[in-house]
Amino acid sequence: MQDMLVKYVKNNKLRSELEYVFKHSLFLCNYYQSYPEKLESALTHLGKIRDKNEILKSLNINDFISMSKQEFDNYLRHSKMTEYLIITYNDLILKKPIEEITFHLSSFASAVLEIAYQYAYNKLSEIHGMPTDTEGNVVPFTIIGLGKLGGYELNFSSDIDIIYVYGSEKGKTSGEKPISNHEFFVKLGKEIFHHLSDRNEIGIVYRVDLRLRPDGEKGELALPLRSYEVYYEAYGQNWERMMLLKANPVAGDLELGNRFLEMVKPFVFRRSLDTKLINDLLDVKGKIQRRIDLKGRNEKNVKLGFGGIREIEFIIQALQILNYPKNQNIVERNSLKAIEKLASNNILSESDAKFLSEAYRFLRKLEHMAQVENEFQTHTVPENSKNFDLYLERCGFKTKEEFEKKYLEITTKVNKLFNSILQEAKTDETAILFDEELTEKDIALYLKSKNIANPEKCTKIIKNIITGSKYRKRQASELKIIKAIFKLLIPEISKFDNPDEILSYFEKLLLRKSSIYLIYDLILEYPQLIQKLITIFSLSKHLSEIIVNNPNTIEFLYDPMSPNIEMIKIYESLKEIISKPNIDEELEYELLRIKQKELLFNIGYLYLNKSINIVQTMYSLTNIARAFTLLAFENNFKKLISKYGYPITTDKKNSDYLILGLGKLGSFEISFGSDLDLIVLYEDNGYTDSKTNKITNQEFFSKLVQKVIHYLSTITYNGYLYKVDLRLRPSGSSGTLVTTLSSFDEYHKKSSMTWEKQALLRADVINNTSSLAEPFFKIKEKILFNSPITQDEIKEIYEMRFRIEKEKGSPITKNDFKSGYGGLIDIEFVAQALQLKYAHTSELLKGTNTHYILHFLKDLNILSSRNFYALHNSYLFLRNIENLTRVYNNLSTSKLPSDSTLLYKIATFFGYNKENFEKILSDFQSTRKTVRGAFNRIFEQLLSC
């Protein structure tokens, strides 16, 4: 650096001054060490405060208009470093007033925007011609500066906030490759952005922020004047009103820019005060106050912190808006000039105006001096920097104590004045989440302060909820509702360990416009709804997905259906749904799947809230499954009749059929996600009575079964109803899909094995109006209950249990609560063995439900109290685990979850302490041992008889 200065700077005093500048401004030092020859062009302008016109003269259009893109971009970046050396010299050496420094910085930014516009416009016009309206007039374009650029108050490292406005979108360009005016100006806007923002080996010119345009990042990059007018009239928000106070045409067609200012004036300034305007200002003030609370007093953020620049700006802008109806001469973009106007019009006292000007200059100086070192975009006093002594030096302080005293004095008084403006600021803390100026890091800090876990993940989700779909900006009415929801939601999620999961479901739900209004309407009627939604979203993936995919199910949270609806009533409601006119098969499938999800959700919600116990839950789920099964058969039976005619027996009667539910479907033990075990029997062989499309009865009922399987298990947009399992039919998978009742009887007389008798114990008729129901029950009675099973058959059941355990439930560490050691099959096999042994002695033992059979075995003194409680309590425990595993995570599994999060949810349901939830693992193992102990005792007794 010394050699460079000796070479290019002959004046010793100037050389010393530049050494001081480079000592304090490392980004300038690094640049001029790389490009020392550029120093000369800056030396001629040292000491000057240059306006836009002066800078444009030195950036002559003839110098750059013919450059290549790379040459032009380099030209801009070198020009910036030249101007920044001049400005930094004026600031650090000549101690120019802060308003002159910000004016110079803003003038350069405006000049750069102007030449970038001219260069890009020229290049695009060469390709597409000039944009013209329908009468052939050239359509103007302007760049509106906002924020600090609009007020000519830029920092050393400010973003530049701009929007693009053009005259009319009607018309097209006049060249050989014409495009619409809109396309032209969007391309132009993109080119300007890239010329300034793209980084190369020299650096960037400016970070350009275009997000303040209508609809933000989702909105069009450039819009005609009329579109801005419509937007602000219909959708303008209070923060946009404050933003537009500083709007200033900085490049392009200034006449169009002034038309823009006149157009937005009615939105920014009201001719009379009203409650809405006051509330809007209160909202903005509240937002600033929440930022201050978030930043705290320990971090000296001179922009957003306690007593910072943002508070001064609010005082100025609020006073302008509030007093505009009485005095329209107070409008001013620049903060210091605005203070002068407010004072001269007796809106601010002379002393307050003097103080605010002093405070503004003080804080802006601190901000500049923090940024001039490395051109970082920071607004925080660098107290922890190793170069803090240099910072104090360039700010004009000799000691840290001197600085601290001055800083506290200024900020305390600013904050006092800020609080005196509109003193009824709202106190909704969660409104801070909607603050556009806070970073994700700031929001995460706020969430962390509220003891919300995973704050970074939660922040991203919250931002997504507020932003909405990438294809459509949130409307003001939607944001108002989301604010109301967050006010209830955010304080509650701190009570849960998985707030990010909870918020992710709210995100999916609130992405739908219709869902937002539905939830809001329900909350107004039933505020506790949010708490119930949070609970579901925290616990059950399965139920949460049902809500997200079918928001109407939310109504069941405050008005649940009775769980005791009989199967036939559910069936009738399903028939009513699909009997409406203009419903084709595709729509029928979707409507039924939606209805099933509603019914399952209702039962799941009641179960998780312990409004119904596990036995009631399984009973209700079974009735739902039976209703859908009956509907599937009867619906498809009618369709087959219309195609093939009615199946006729050999003695010329209509052939009836029987739907048998087996397994859980037959025993009223359906759990969430269960398959349906079915057998279909028909009355007799024969043919259908169609004259043109006759088929055998076996073909007819086989087609019926196939259609039912398709009806229930086809996956659509709303999922599927049930998977169907027919492997329990005679001869299993190798047998025919359907068989006659007499063949079924014959098969069991001659060929059925013991395990098939066990399966038949749980068989029940679904279509109980069938004429075959009574004959079936007589056959079942004859096969199972006329006499007790033999010792060999008991031994077969015992040995079968261990084969299943070996094949499906081993090793014990698999924690299989169904097939494994001491699992549900132990309990079921005990009940079934005792039924087959003793049911001939009592009608009570001829039922299908394991839970009730255990009770009846105890009542009949067949089970001892010790064995009953061992099996009964374990049965309820294991059935709960089965259903909780499935309802929480929609997993069709028979293994105790190893995932600690899911295990914790299950443990919580059982009432385990949060700190000791893993005790459920030892209790699970203890339950298995208890079950196996009872199993061994009972079979030892049975086998010894």
Side-chain angles (χ1 to χ4, degrees):
M1 177 57 68
Q2 185 68 35
D3 292 342
M4 178 194 73
L5 290 173
V6 169
K7 180 178 179 181
Y8 290 98
V9 183
K10 305 306 179 187
N11 184 297
N12 289 337
K13 178 174 179 295
L14 179 58
R15 189 186 306 144
S16 176
E17 290 170 340
L18 289 174
E19 282 182 7
Y20 183 86
V21 169
F22 291 136
K23 172 186 172 185
H24 284 270
S25 183
L26 298 179
F27 82 95
L28 285 173
C29 179
N30 293 335
Y31 170 78
Y32 281 103
Q33 282 182 322
S34 301
Y35 303 97
E37 70 281 0
K38 300 293 182 182
L39 187 61
E40 287 182 293
S41 60
L43 297 179
T44 58
H45 298 290
L46 290 180
K48 297 179 182 177
I49 297 295
R50 308 211 296 170
D51 64 16
K52 177 181 176 182
N53 289 332
E54 275 188 89
I55 295 168
L56 283 174
K57 284 179 185 176
S58 62
L59 303 174
N60 194 308
I61 190 170
N62 295 322
D63 293 341
F64 63 79
I65 205 70
S66 60
M67 291 179 180
S68 68
K69 181 183 183 305
Q70 183 178 354
E71 290 172 332
F72 178 67
D73 288 351
N74 288 343
Y75 174 76
L76 290 181
R77 285 151 182 76
H78 286 307
S79 299
K80 173 192 173 180
M81 300 310 290
T82 297
E83 207 68 37
Y84 267 47
L85 179 57
I86 300 167
I87 296 167
T88 308
Y89 179 87
N90 290 341
D91 196 356
L92 293 179
I93 304 300
L94 300 182
K95 311 296 183 184
K96 297 277 188 181
I98 197 69
E99 55 265 42
E100 292 187 17
I101 300 301
T102 57
F103 173 81
H104 196 160
L105 286 163
S106 305
S107 295
F108 178 73
S110 300
V112 165
L113 281 166
E114 184 67 47
I115 65 171
Y117 155 65
Q118 291 182 20
Y119 178 83
Y121 188 93
N122 185 67
K123 295 297 182 186
L124 277 175
S125 298
E126 289 176 1
I127 301 169
H128 301 291
M130 300 177 75
T132 58
D133 60 22
T134 52
E135 296 176 359
N137 302 312
V138 174
V139 175
F141 172 86
T142 190
I143 301 174
I144 304 295
L146 303 165
K148 287 186 169 68
L149 175 59
Y152 263 55
E153 299 167 304
L154 282 185
N155 300 327
F156 274 104
S157 188
S158 289
D159 291 354
I160 55 173
D161 297 308
I162 59 175
I163 55 177
Y164 300 129
V165 184
Y166 60 91
S168 173
E169 63 183 334
K170 293 179 181 178
K172 60 183 179 180
T173 58
S174 57
E176 293 181 3
K177 297 180 179 178
I179 55 176
S180 70
N181 288 345
H182 181 69
E183 289 176 279
F184 180 90
F185 289 117
V186 169
K187 284 177 179 284
L188 177 61
K190 287 179 180 177
E191 289 299 313
I192 294 169
F193 174 85
H194 289 301
H195 285 310
L196 270 60
S197 292
D198 287 353
R199 183 175 293 277
N200 65 16
E201 66 277 3
I202 303 170
I204 64 169
V205 188
Y206 288 107
R207 292 176 297 273
V208 179
D209 194 337
L210 293 160
R211 292 173 298 174
L212 298 181
R213 65 189 187 269
D215 294 329
E217 290 179 300
K218 297 184 181 71
E220 293 290 344
L221 199 67
L223 287 169
L225 185 63
R226 174 61 181 158
S227 292
Y228 281 98
E229 183 176 14
V230 170
Y231 172 81
Y232 291 125
E233 268 183 25
Y235 305 107
Q237 298 180 50
N238 46 4
W239 68 266
E240 290 172 305
R241 176 179 292 114
M242 307 297 270
M243 168 198 81
L244 289 169
L245 270 170
K246 287 182 176 286
N248 191 5
V250 292
D253 189 286
L254 298 186
E255 191 276 329
L256 174 62
N258 288 325
R259 284 166 55 199
F260 174 86
L261 297 183
E262 287 300 312
M263 180 271 294
V264 300
K265 190 174 284 187
F267 168 64
V268 178
F269 297 103
R270 302 284 179 83
R271 292 192 176 275
S272 61
L273 292 180
D274 58 29
T275 304
K276 185 179 185 306
L277 178 61
I278 301 296
N279 286 337
D280 286 350
L281 290 172
L282 284 169
D283 280 341
V284 174
K285 183 182 179 185
K287 186 184 293 185
I288 294 169
Q289 185 60 57
R290 287 184 290 273
R291 288 182 200 144
I292 294 166
D293 296 340
L294 178 64
K295 298 291 183 183
R297 297 195 185 195
N298 294 328
E299 179 187 305
K300 294 184 176 65
N301 188 307
V302 299
K303 179 181 180 182
L304 302 179
F306 174 83
I309 294 167
R310 188 61 84 237
E311 291 187 33
I312 297 175
E313 290 175 335
F314 176 80
I315 294 169
I316 296 166
Q317 292 168 355
L319 289 175
Q320 288 184 85
I321 290 172
L322 290 169
N323 290 279
Y324 178 83
K326 295 183 293 184
N327 189 341
Q328 299 180 9
N329 296 320
I330 58 175
V331 177
E332 173 58 55
R333 303 180 193 96
N334 181 274
S335 298
L336 289 170
K337 291 179 181 178
I339 291 170
E340 289 177 12
K341 280 196 174 184
L342 290 168
S344 64
N345 285 277
N346 298 316
I347 295 168
L348 270 175
S349 69
E350 187 176 334
S351 59
D352 283 347
K354 183 180 178 182
F355 167 72
L356 284 175
S357 296
E358 177 195 352
Y360 183 80
R361 290 186 175 97
F362 171 77
L363 293 169
R364 290 306 301 275
K365 181 77 171 179
L366 298 185
E367 190 176 40
H368 276 294
M369 294 303 101
Q371 294 180 0
V372 74
E373 183 176 350
N374 284 304
E375 205 195 5
F376 291 156
Q377 190 184 25
T378 179
H379 309 286
T380 303
V381 174
E383 293 179 279
N384 299 320
S385 168
K386 62 181 181 180
N387 295 325
F388 185 54
D389 56 336
L390 289 178
Y391 174 79
L392 290 175
E393 180 184 327
R394 57 182 178 265
C395 290
F397 293 97
K398 293 180 181 178
T399 66
K400 183 178 181 182
E401 291 71 27
E402 181 188 353
F403 163 74
E404 293 275 4
K405 181 181 178 183
K406 180 73 171 178
Y407 187 88
L408 180 61
E409 177 189 325
I410 292 284
T411 54
T412 301
K413 193 169 180 181
V414 168
N415 185 255
K416 185 177 179 181
L417 282 173
F418 169 75
N419 286 328
S420 71
I421 306 291
L422 297 170
Q423 295 181 18
E424 298 178 4
K426 294 181 180 178
T427 57
D428 174 19
E429 281 194 12
T430 58
I432 198 170
L433 303 172
F434 297 81
D435 192 334
E436 312 81 24
E437 291 199 53
L438 291 181
T439 64
E440 287 191 6
K441 185 177 178 182
D442 291 328
I443 299 298
L445 184 65
Y446 164 75
L447 296 178
K448 188 174 181 181
S449 74
K450 299 302 174 186
N451 299 315
I452 293 173
N454 304 321
E456 291 80 14
K457 284 184 180 178
C458 290
T459 296
K460 291 185 183 299
I461 299 167
I462 286 168
K463 286 293 184 185
N464 290 341
I465 292 172
I466 293 170
T467 305
S469 165
K470 63 181 180 180
Y471 302 108
R472 184 181 67 84
K473 186 186 177 184
R474 289 287 192 201
Q475 294 178 355
S477 59
E478 292 174 38
L479 288 171
K480 182 180 178 181
I481 291 171
I482 291 171
K483 285 180 182 178
I485 292 171
F486 276 7
K487 190 174 181 179
L488 299 171
L489 170 62
I490 300 301
E492 290 297 320
I493 62 173
S494 63
K495 302 171 185 176
F496 295 85
D497 295 327
N498 57 338
D500 49 319
E501 289 180 37
I502 296 168
L503 285 169
S504 68
Y505 285 116
F506 274 102
E507 178 188 2
K508 293 173 185 174
L509 191 60
L510 296 174
L511 276 179
R512 298 183 182 182
K513 184 177 179 180
S514 58
S515 299
I516 293 175
Y517 292 101
L518 171 66
I519 292 173
Y520 188 60
D521 288 343
L522 294 175
I523 288 173
L524 290 177
E525 185 178 341
Y526 185 61
Q528 299 93 322
L529 177 69
I530 284 290
Q531 179 60 61
K532 291 182 179 293
L533 278 172
I534 291 171
T535 302
I536 291 294
F537 290 162
S538 70
L539 289 177
S540 174
K541 180 179 178 181
H542 182 45
L543 298 187
S544 298
E545 287 172 350
I546 291 176
I547 289 177
V548 167
N549 293 321
N550 184 10
N552 287 328
T553 51
I554 294 172
E555 295 182 16
F556 295 121
L557 293 179
Y558 74 95
D559 187 20
M561 294 186 297
S562 168
N564 301 317
I565 303 176
E566 292 302 319
M567 183 266 282
I568 194 63
K569 290 186 178 179
I570 300 173
Y571 165 77
E572 286 168 355
S573 71
L574 299 180
K575 276 187 72 174
E576 186 178 345
I577 289 172
I578 63 173
S579 298
K580 295 173 183 176
N582 303 319
I583 292 183
D584 59 15
E585 186 176 69
E586 185 177 344
L587 181 56
E588 179 179 326
Y589 275 40
E590 299 298 352
L591 291 175
L592 289 176
R593 281 151 179 76
I594 289 171
K595 184 62 178 177
Q596 186 226 27
K597 299 299 183 290
E598 290 177 359
L599 293 167
L600 294 182
F601 176 85
N602 183 65
I603 299 304
Y605 174 68
L606 292 171
Y607 170 57
L608 289 181
N609 279 278
K610 301 183 181 178
S611 299
I612 55 176
N613 61 35
I614 186 60
V615 176
Q616 292 169 306
T617 298
M618 293 188 293
Y619 182 83
S620 298
L621 292 174
T622 303
N623 273 335
I624 294 169
R626 288 186 173 205
F628 277 96
T629 302
L630 183 60
L631 180 80
F633 272 96
E634 294 204 355
N635 227 20
N636 285 285
F637 185 76
K638 290 175 184 175
K639 291 176 183 178
L640 285 173
I641 288 173
S642 66
K643 186 173 182 180
Y644 299 108
Y646 209 100
I648 304 298
T649 64
T650 51
D651 55 358
K652 307 302 181 186
K653 294 190 304 183
N654 288 347
S655 178
D656 210 341
Y657 69 101
L658 195 66
I659 311 162
L660 294 181
L662 290 90
K664 291 180 177 180
L665 184 62
S667 62
F668 284 89
E669 295 171 300
I670 287 285
S671 58
F672 294 96
S674 287
D675 295 350
L676 306 184
D677 291 307
L678 293 173
I679 291 177
V680 177
L681 307 176
Y682 61 100
E683 189 167 356
D684 195 8
N685 288 320
Y687 292 87
T688 60
D689 61 5
S690 171
K691 294 180 180 179
T692 58
N693 209 8
K694 183 179 292 190
I695 58 174
T696 66
N697 291 353
Q698 187 180 53
E699 288 178 284
F700 180 93
F701 288 108
S702 294
K703 288 181 183 292
L704 175 60
V705 170
Q706 290 166 344
K707 282 191 169 293
V708 166
I709 293 172
H710 183 271
Y711 196 83
L712 294 173
S713 60
T714 294
I715 299 174
T716 71
Y717 176 78
N718 286 290
Y720 66 92
L721 295 172
Y722 298 96
K723 292 178 182 176
V724 178
D725 192 339
L726 295 160
R727 288 174 297 176
L728 294 179
R729 66 187 185 269
S731 301
S733 299
S734 60
T736 57
L737 278 180
V738 295
T739 187
T740 63
L741 183 63
S742 58
S743 296
F744 178 83
D745 183 18
E746 195 65 25
Y747 171 81
H748 276 283
K749 281 180 185 175
K750 296 180 179 179
S751 309
S752 70
M753 302 174 68
T754 304
W755 70 265
E756 289 176 296
K757 290 181 180 179
Q758 290 177 257
L760 192 57
L761 277 171
R762 300 169 79 185
D764 195 24
V765 173
I766 306 297
N767 57 336
N768 50 27
T769 59
S770 170
S771 61
L772 304 186
E774 188 177 343
F776 164 75
F777 284 121
K778 288 180 179 178
I779 291 171
K780 179 178 177 180
E781 173 84 20
K782 183 175 56 178
I783 295 169
L784 300 178
F785 304 133
N786 275 357
S787 59
I789 56 171
T790 64
Q791 290 298 99
D792 287 341
E793 287 175 313
I794 291 174
K795 185 179 180 183
E796 197 176 332
I797 292 172
Y798 180 77
E799 291 173 349
M800 172 66 74
R801 169 63 189 112
F802 288 101
R803 281 200 298 275
I804 293 172
E805 182 179 331
K806 184 177 181 181
E807 292 170 8
K808 297 182 179 181
S810 294
I812 193 171
T813 52
K814 283 174 68 173
N815 286 342
D816 190 311
F817 52 72
K818 179 182 177 182
S819 303
Y821 170 90
L824 284 164
I825 290 182
D826 273 24
I827 302 171
E828 290 169 350
F829 273 39
V830 165
Q832 289 160 15
L834 292 174
Q835 271 186 284
L836 292 170
K837 175 81 173 176
Y838 296 106
H840 68 286
T841 65
S842 173
E843 289 294 319
L844 293 174
L845 297 180
K846 295 177 183 178
T848 61
N849 183 271
T850 306
H851 175 257
Y852 291 116
I853 292 299
L854 291 174
H855 274 279
F856 294 141
L857 288 168
K858 177 180 178 292
D859 293 344
L860 294 167
N861 295 317
I862 296 170
L863 265 183
S864 68
S865 292
R866 177 190 180 191
N867 286 334
F868 167 76
Y869 288 113
L871 296 175
H872 173 267
N873 294 348
S874 299
Y875 173 84
L876 297 178
F877 179 76
L878 295 175
R879 283 292 186 209
N880 270 307
I881 284 181
E882 175 185 45
N883 279 274
L884 289 169
T885 300
R886 295 182 177 190
V887 80
Y888 283 148
N889 264 28
N890 199 17
L891 298 173
S892 183
T893 181
S894 61
K895 296 178 181 61
L896 184 71
S898 57
D899 176 69
S900 60
T901 302
L902 184 51
L903 200 61
Y904 170 69
K905 291 178 182 179
I906 293 172
T908 302
F909 179 89
F910 284 110
Y912 289 79
N913 291 332
K914 183 176 181 180
E915 296 75 20
N916 196 26
F917 78 90
E918 290 181 345
K919 185 176 181 293
I920 194 172
L921 290 170
S922 60
D923 285 359
F924 175 71
Q925 303 303 344
S926 175
T927 297
R928 300 170 80 184
K929 290 177 183 175
T930 299
V931 169
R932 181 51 60 91
F935 175 89
N936 286 336
R937 287 194 299 273
I938 292 165
F939 269 97
E940 182 180 348
Q941 184 180 356
L942 286 170
L943 291 170
S944 65
C945 291

